[in-house]
Amino acid sequence: MKILVFAGSTRQQSFNRKLATVAAQMARDAGAEVTQLELADHELPLYNADLEARGTPESAIRLKTIFHAHPGWIICSPEYNGSYTALLKNTLDWVSSPVKGHPDWSSGTRPFADKVVGLLSASPGALGGVRSLSHLAPLLANLQCWVSPKQFALSRAGEAFDAQGQLTSEASHTNVKAVVDKLLWATGRLHAAA
């Protein structure tokens, strides 16, 4: 089972990138083939239809291919001003934008349709970024993803990881693993015949 894991942040010390690493290892330990994607490796300009009319960036085409190749995703979403990041929205906007006349990407929803998505968030605050997830879930559903009802927002993330990047709390570990396990279960059921 191929699982894509990424964070909506490129910050070097991002709590969500750390959380993505933890979730990716849990999925590997459960037997999944995991691709951990770094959005910093696929820089995109701010989405603009006039810019797109001059040609879809090659990085957007690469991301479409990566997203499409993985039936299950885990997204770790930071919370900025009560919602998901501009980086994450811009990435989803480019990946969902159809490419006229392209043999693979003339449909904007093709990279998204029927993907099973598990959502995680980490924040220094007491709510753990749960508001970003409440905004992100309907966006993904609109793109025809199957969003798992099992989600987890890690609060007080500045104290949540040890020096090796592992979660210090057994309860947090259990909650993240529950999201990963539910994602793997649902992906296996939905894509069993694929």
Side-chain angles (χ1 to χ4, degrees):
M1 187 183 306
K2 296 179 72 173
I3 301 298
L4 181 67
V5 182
F6 65 97
S9 175
T10 56
R11 189 171 64 85
Q12 283 299 307
Q13 297 302 316
S14 164
F15 299 128
N16 284 278
R17 289 179 67 230
K18 290 181 181 181
L19 189 57
T21 298
V22 169
Q25 190 57 54
M26 288 181 181
R28 285 187 193 99
D29 290 346
E33 179 185 338
V34 177
T35 300
Q36 191 169 347
L37 176 69
E38 291 290 351
L39 293 182
D41 296 336
H42 304 272
E43 287 191 31
L44 290 165
L46 188 62
Y47 179 80
N48 176 306
D50 291 336
L51 177 63
E52 182 185 39
R54 295 195 293 270
T56 299
E58 186 56 40
S59 52
I61 300 293
R62 283 197 309 271
L63 284 169
K64 286 174 183 286
T65 303
I66 293 167
F67 279 36
H68 181 67
H70 295 81
W73 307 345
I74 297 170
I75 303 176
C76 298
S77 176
E79 182 178 286
Y80 288 7
N81 296 316
S83 191
Y84 45 79
T85 62
L87 169 69
L88 182 53
K89 179 65 162 65
N90 192 55
T91 300
L92 297 176
D93 286 346
W94 274 114
V95 174
S96 65
S97 185
V99 183
K100 278 187 186 173
H102 195 284
D104 295 320
W105 309 120
S106 58
S107 167
T109 56
R110 185 166 186 249
F112 297 88
D114 297 331
K115 305 303 180 186
V116 179
V117 185
L119 295 179
L120 295 167
S121 184
S123 167
L127 297 178
V130 70
R131 292 174 297 180
S132 76
L133 302 185
S134 71
H135 291 185
L136 184 56
L139 169 64
L140 292 166
N142 187 62
L143 290 168
Q144 301 181 21
C145 295
W146 292 75
V147 181
S148 172
K150 187 68 178 173
Q151 302 172 9
F152 177 61
L154 177 68
S155 61
R156 297 181 176 82
E159 308 158 16
F161 299 93
D162 64 20
Q164 288 72 45
Q166 298 303 307
L167 292 168
T168 57
S169 159
E170 186 61 36
S172 295
H173 185 277
T174 298
N175 282 315
V176 173
K177 189 173 185 306
V179 173
V180 173
D181 288 347
K182 183 65 74 173
L183 170 88
L184 296 176
W185 176 86
T187 304
R189 296 305 184 278
L190 186 61
H191 292 273

